[in-house]
Amino acid sequence: MPIYFVCKARSVTDPALPMLARTPTASPLRKCDNEPMYTLLRQALFAADPETAHSLALEGLRLSHGLGASQWLCKAVHQPRTVMGLQFPNPVGLAAGMDKNGDYVDALGSLGFGFIEVGTVTPRAQAGNPKPRVFRLEKANAMINRLGFNNKGVDHLVAQVRKRKFGGVLGINIGKNSATTQDKAVDDYLYCFDRVYRHADYITINISSPNTKGLRDLQGAAQLDKLLGALSDKRNELTETHMKHTPMVVKVAPDLDEQQISEISQVIVRHQIEGLIATNTTLSRETVKGLRHADETGGLSGAPVRNQANHVLAAFRNVLPPEVALIGTGGISCGADAAEKIQLGADLVQFYTGFVYQGPDLVSDCVSAITARARP
Ligand SMILES: Cc1cc2nc3c(=O)[nH]c(=O)nc-3n(C[C@H](O)[C@H](O)[C@H](O)COP(=O)(O)O)c2cc1C
């Protein structure tokens, strides 16, 4: 039997929507059908702790892809569009964090994603925070994580993505090592940027994960100006060396106010950044108060972050010129959530937590809903 999540659909013009990021309100769950096979698989996976389930699911997917069976899990979804000068087979992507090392690009790609973002990767391999560090808030279709950029380092990721056969767009998301002091943060980004430049279709500058001390400070106007200035100069150099222009995308937090959004937008325009991802996980617990694990430290993702992420997305669309592409991320649990982000001004959408709860059908659901909403 499919699982049904009861929801109250809500118009984006609803005057009751909260003021920007100040008072996050619960994002009502829409009705989402789970594919019955995935419902069973999910039950089995959720019996394990979240990190074990994550590894089991990805290894299982890789195996089934190797056997040529993973295509059965998805419907072909071709709705091409050009964004940032790149050809996307469809506008629905996998958000960063699920494949931090680029180990599963082809297996995940076989599920129909138009683009996959790997990372966050740092210059050197690091273990991340002590376990347990990922928690499911099942009643809210949500997760809290404080992984802290556990990854095998940028050289491993580059070796992996060079082997890919995935025909969609590949984003590589870069960050800094936790041991790197704040005054040396720019060097870590420059190092990763240089290493991944040739191999990425676009590069995401992650300045919004809440689990690396000081990372979010890079969203401040002065620090961001310095970071993006250095990366733009580096890009000019690499464009010549490799005869290839790789678009840059900045990923921001949902915990931003209007002033910060305005300042970040000015810096993005000044340095001719092609895109922005709104948003990463939130530090707010407003929408999950009283739920099991709600008090765990880390970033909250999934359905409860949707309203807040949507407000930040819409606010950036308001102030950024149309040539800056927007990728809407945060709280997509069904097709209607994806279509809503496009309606708010996103050119593309991505999800992570919704994929854990809804399974591979979420890809085609989102593509169909976006296509249907686009029709006159
Ligand atoms: C377990 C987990 C790990 C994540 N790791 C990263 C990461 O390494 N880099 C990053 O930019 N975002 C990371 N994210 C954030 C997601 O990419 C996404 O921005 C956020 O979860 C909101 O989308 P969602 O509600 O669809 O999950 C992670 C999210 C989760 C749940």
Side-chain angles (χ1 to χ4, degrees):
M1 275 290 285
I3 290 177
Y4 290 102
F5 296 104
V6 183
C7 88
K8 192 158 51 93
R10 192 165 186 191
S11 153
V12 293
T13 52
D14 188 336
L17 285 175
M19 277 302 289
L20 184 65
R22 279 200 203 120
T23 48
T25 55
S27 316
L29 290 178
R30 294 199 167 92
K31 181 171 169 288
C32 300
D33 295 347
N34 272 109
E35 206 275 317
M37 201 170 87
Y38 185 72
T39 303
L40 286 175
L41 180 62
R42 194 181 86 166
Q43 258 169 20
L45 287 171
F46 277 24
D49 74 87
E51 279 197 71
T52 307
H54 178 89
S55 307
L56 284 174
L58 288 178
E59 283 302 325
L61 179 64
R62 181 172 26 211
L63 193 68
S64 76
H65 176 62
L67 296 169
S70 60
Q71 290 84 335
W72 297 345
L73 295 172
C74 84
K75 301 163 194 127
V77 275
H78 196 63
Q79 285 295 333
R81 58 197 62 200
T82 304
V83 180
M84 303 186 286
L86 304 169
Q87 316 286 325
F88 289 76
N90 69 58
V92 176
L94 180 68
M98 184 159 291
D99 185 6
K100 287 187 186 272
N101 300 298
D103 290 336
Y104 302 98
V105 176
D106 289 340
L108 287 162
S110 70
L111 299 178
F113 288 107
F115 64 112
I116 289 180
E117 192 169 311
V118 294
T120 298
V121 73
T122 57
R124 295 170 306 285
Q126 61 180 28
N129 290 321
K131 294 179 183 177
R133 52 193 182 175
V134 185
F135 306 88
R136 295 185 202 104
L137 286 73
E138 288 188 41
K139 288 202 168 123
N141 278 7
M143 290 166 82
I144 290 175
N145 90 83
R146 51 169 179 269
L147 287 164
F149 292 164
N150 54 316
N151 77 101
K152 299 176 187 169
V154 68
D155 290 337
H156 172 90
L157 180 138
V158 165
Q160 291 299 89
V161 301
R162 285 182 71 168
K163 295 187 282 193
R164 75 185 182 275
K165 296 195 179 74
F166 173 56
V169 169
L170 181 79
I172 302 183
N173 180 310
I174 62 173
K176 77 181 237 339
N177 278 113
S178 57
T180 302
T181 53
Q182 202 65 5
D183 58 320
K184 295 274 189 306
V186 175
D187 296 346
D188 273 15
Y189 285 93
L190 285 171
Y191 184 89
C192 289
F193 193 81
D194 182 54
R195 288 288 190 282
V196 305
Y197 190 84
R198 277 171 58 204
H199 311 288
D201 293 318
Y202 72 86
I203 302 173
T204 299
I205 316 304
N206 181 7
I207 48 169
S208 50
S209 287
N211 304 312
T212 297
K213 201 166 164 278
L215 197 89
R216 284 189 169 194
D217 296 345
L218 296 169
Q219 294 179 130
Q223 289 207 46
L224 187 60
D225 193 46
K226 189 174 152 217
L227 174 65
L228 296 186
L231 288 169
S232 290
D233 291 347
K234 182 60 137 183
R235 177 163 65 172
N236 292 340
E237 190 189 310
L238 292 171
T239 303
E240 266 191 37
T241 312
H242 300 300
M243 309 281 282
K244 173 186 187 272
H245 180 86
T246 306
M248 251 196 270
V249 171
V250 171
K251 183 165 180 178
V252 298
D255 311 300
L256 296 171
D257 60 28
E258 280 123 306
Q259 174 75 21
Q260 291 170 304
I261 287 172
S262 157
E263 287 173 7
I264 290 170
S265 298
Q266 286 169 31
V267 181
I268 279 180
V269 170
R270 188 175 314 134
H271 295 294
Q272 300 177 347
I273 304 301
E274 284 85 351
L276 180 127
I277 300 179
T279 66
N280 213 311
T281 56
T282 182
L283 287 170
S284 167
R285 295 294 185 268
E286 246 351 91
T287 53
V288 291
K289 270 187 191 153
L291 292 185
R292 183 157 181 254
H293 297 311
D295 294 331
E296 291 292 346
T297 301
L300 172 69
S301 60
V305 84
R306 194 180 85 232
N307 273 351
Q308 211 183 332
N310 283 353
H311 278 283
V312 170
L313 171 72
F316 271 108
R317 186 68 296 161
N318 246 344
V319 290
L320 282 171
E323 56 271 21
V324 179
L326 282 182
I327 304 178
T329 313
I332 294 178
S333 303
C334 58
D337 296 339
E340 183 178 45
K341 288 197 192 284
I342 299 287
Q343 203 180 346
L344 289 170
D347 300 280
L348 305 163
V349 298
Q350 283 177 322
F351 48 74
Y352 182 138
T353 308
F355 185 60
V356 171
Y357 281 93
Q358 307 301 330
D361 271 8
L362 187 56
V363 182
S364 54
D365 287 354
C366 290
V367 178
S368 304
I370 290 169
T371 313
R373 191 72 70 95
R375 278 195 206 108

